[in-house]
Amino acid sequence: MIRILLAEDQAMVRGALSALLNLEDDMEVAGSAADGETAWRELQRLQPDVLVTDIEMPGLTGLELAQRIQRHGIACKVVIVTTFARPGFLRRALDAGVAGYLLKDAPAEDLAEALRKVHRGGRAIDPQLAVEAWSEADPLNDRERQVLRLAGEGLSAGEIAQQLHLSQGTVRNYLSEAIGKLGVSNRIEAYRLARQRGLL
């Protein structure tokens, strides 16, 4: 029996996934969570075989959850089911040790099959997305990404510096590096383009 934890902030999608997976003879949805921090706590409590998670969630994103699982050496496999068909997200997911990456418009039977494959130790990645992911490089480093995300959320250089324990000059340097690498003229355009390409 494959024990699954679902992390999805949209209640209707969470309910539908749960109902679909519970129809499979060899699967059991052991628990579910509407945000990343709850998912992290449930993961430790339930110790499921597979975590099925969205990317965008309150608290921790699905990618941050996967990174935390990898960092703590937890045996749970991670499968991302998302609407984000962006190569940047897939590259970061693979770097975080994610074993499956599927789009929400894939047929339901594809998800069950992907979970079986991942549980057996394989990988299940949307093929078209996989091709695109390796043809597009990610120009940003982790710090630039972090600073740019906070700038895009409306924080000033001073507020970002305080939050990340950096000097304002260092924050400005990271922002100007990110702007330069993305070939745009300001932080707003840099944030918008990075979001569009799945780099944040």
Side-chain angles (χ1 to χ4, degrees):
M1 187 64 80
I2 304 171
R3 295 179 71 252
I4 298 159
L5 173 64
L6 287 178
E8 163 64 60
D9 62 333
Q10 293 177 12
M12 198 180 286
V13 176
R14 196 169 60 249
L17 282 173
S18 184
L20 280 169
L21 294 173
N22 277 326
L23 289 173
E24 302 293 329
D25 295 336
D26 56 346
M27 294 181 193
E28 174 202 4
V29 176
S32 66
D35 63 81
E37 286 294 355
T38 305
W40 174 244
R41 287 193 299 273
E42 287 294 276
L43 187 80
Q44 292 166 94
R45 186 176 73 83
L46 298 167
Q47 299 183 345
D49 301 308
V50 182
L51 167 69
V52 175
T53 181
D54 194 359
I55 287 183
E56 292 277 293
M57 286 188 299
L60 288 172
T61 68
L63 289 174
E64 288 164 341
L65 254 180
Q67 286 164 346
R68 198 179 274 191
I69 289 166
Q70 186 183 50
R71 211 167 40 243
H72 286 78
I74 295 170
C76 179
K77 306 264 200 276
V78 181
V79 173
I80 286 179
V81 180
T82 184
T83 52
F84 294 116
R86 297 177 192 158
F89 277 129
L90 175 56
R91 287 179 72 96
R92 286 171 51 220
L94 293 174
D95 287 345
V98 166
Y101 193 105
L102 302 171
L103 299 177
K104 280 183 179 169
D105 59 4
E109 57 270 21
D110 286 10
L111 175 58
E113 208 36 64
L115 293 181
R116 288 186 189 100
K117 189 173 179 183
V118 163
H119 186 246
R120 290 192 304 264
R123 276 208 161 153
I125 309 292
D126 182 277
Q128 183 52 44
L129 208 51
V131 171
E132 289 172 30
W134 300 117
S135 62
E136 182 183 298
D138 180 353
L140 302 177
N141 65 37
D142 285 342
R143 214 33 144 176
E144 289 160 356
R145 197 185 331 278
Q146 210 175 13
V147 167
L148 189 56
R149 188 185 293 129
L150 292 172
E153 288 168 9
L155 274 68
S156 68
E159 290 166 328
I160 296 169
Q162 203 170 12
Q163 195 165 319
L164 299 180
H165 309 291
L166 299 169
S167 72
Q168 284 195 48
T170 303
V171 166
R172 279 194 289 272
N173 286 343
Y174 281 129
L175 280 173
S176 84
E177 281 294 314
I179 290 164
K181 285 178 177 180
L182 291 167
V184 291
S185 55
N186 60 52
R187 65 171 73 178
I188 304 301
E189 284 176 31
Y191 175 76
R192 197 175 295 135
L193 180 62
R195 287 276 303 175
Q196 196 181 323
R197 285 174 54 187
L199 302 175
L200 290 182

